[in-house]
Amino acid sequence: MPTNHNTDDIFLQTDRLVLRRMTLMDFGELASILQDPDVMYAWEYSFSDDDVMEWMNKCIHLYTTKNLGYFLVSDKTTHEVLGQAALLPTTINGSEYHEIGYIFKKKHWHNGYAFESAQALLNHAFNSLHLDCVVFEIRPENTASRKVAESLGAKVTGSFSKMVKSKPMLHLIYTLAK
């Protein structure tokens, strides 16, 4: 459902997209993404309502402590929520990084939204935060997400096993340096 939000919630904008901080009022939009088994195939589970609320609370906490997190991505013209994209701190094998991630509603796949939002977050990371590099944590079988990272210039620099719901899952580490 398209909604207009306070401009104070806007984190970044592109020609087509608005990336904004989510609020608890966005539960339904977020649930429609995180509870879709087709969207969440690489995670190998769909979120429960409690998982969605926990995700939202983590994002809101990151906004207040780091001014980073997962942001809802909306169409600038229609205000329809398309998905979410992130720039956030992460730890891989004991080392600290900043990660870019993206999760979009299935009906909005293959429209360039993940690339466009990730590009905006990448520009913010390098030009506003003055980071030297960012990473993408991507499951090997997630070819669409891998293509986005590769299109941005990121290269596979390693892999690691990430615990997801008490299950180890192999992730490729894509790195993009400034």
Side-chain angles (χ1 to χ4, degrees):
M1 171 181 207
T3 58
N4 288 309
H5 281 269
N6 185 332
T7 56
D8 292 341
D9 292 335
I10 295 174
F11 183 71
L12 291 173
Q13 295 186 61
T14 70
D15 289 342
R16 300 187 300 166
L17 307 175
V18 173
L19 283 72
R20 67 170 176 80
R21 292 165 192 85
M22 66 183 75
T23 69
L24 295 178
M25 294 182 339
D26 295 308
F27 180 88
E29 288 288 359
L30 199 59
S32 74
I33 299 166
L34 298 175
Q35 293 179 344
D36 182 334
D38 290 336
V39 171
M40 300 303 290
Y41 78 94
W43 292 57
E44 298 183 13
Y45 77 97
S46 299
F47 280 40
S48 68
D49 284 352
D50 288 343
D51 293 333
V52 173
M53 188 56 70
E54 182 180 337
W55 180 274
M56 292 182 76
N57 286 330
K58 283 181 185 177
C59 289
I60 292 167
H61 177 74
L62 276 172
Y63 301 154
T64 59
T65 59
K66 305 280 186 188
N67 197 29
L68 297 174
Y70 265 94
F71 302 94
L72 285 183
V73 179
S74 300
D75 181 285
K76 195 181 252 186
T77 304
T78 67
H79 307 288
E80 179 183 4
V81 173
L82 310 171
Q84 54 182 327
L87 174 60
L88 54 109
T90 191
T91 303
I92 301 172
N93 297 330
S95 296
E96 299 292 322
Y97 300 94
H98 280 80
E99 173 189 4
I100 291 180
Y102 28 84
I103 307 171
F104 282 82
K105 293 179 180 179
K106 186 175 181 179
K107 71 179 185 173
H108 298 299
W109 289 358
H110 310 296
N111 289 302
Y113 299 133
F115 177 87
E116 188 173 334
S117 55
Q119 180 71 65
L121 291 165
L122 184 62
N123 289 339
H124 181 76
F126 289 159
N127 300 325
S128 297
L129 301 180
H130 306 290
L131 300 176
D132 293 326
C133 74
V134 295
V135 298
F136 302 75
E137 302 174 11
I138 303 174
R139 298 291 308 278
E141 63 273 17
N142 192 340
T143 56
S145 286
R146 292 178 66 181
K147 284 182 183 178
V148 170
E150 291 165 4
S151 295
L152 291 164
K155 306 283 186 221
V156 176
T157 57
S159 64
F160 73 109
S161 184
K162 182 176 188 172
M163 295 302 287
V164 179
K165 290 283 188 185
S166 303
K167 178 180 178 181
M169 293 186 172
L170 179 66
H171 283 70
L172 299 175
I173 304 167
Y174 277 82
T175 303
L176 181 57
K178 189 172 186 177

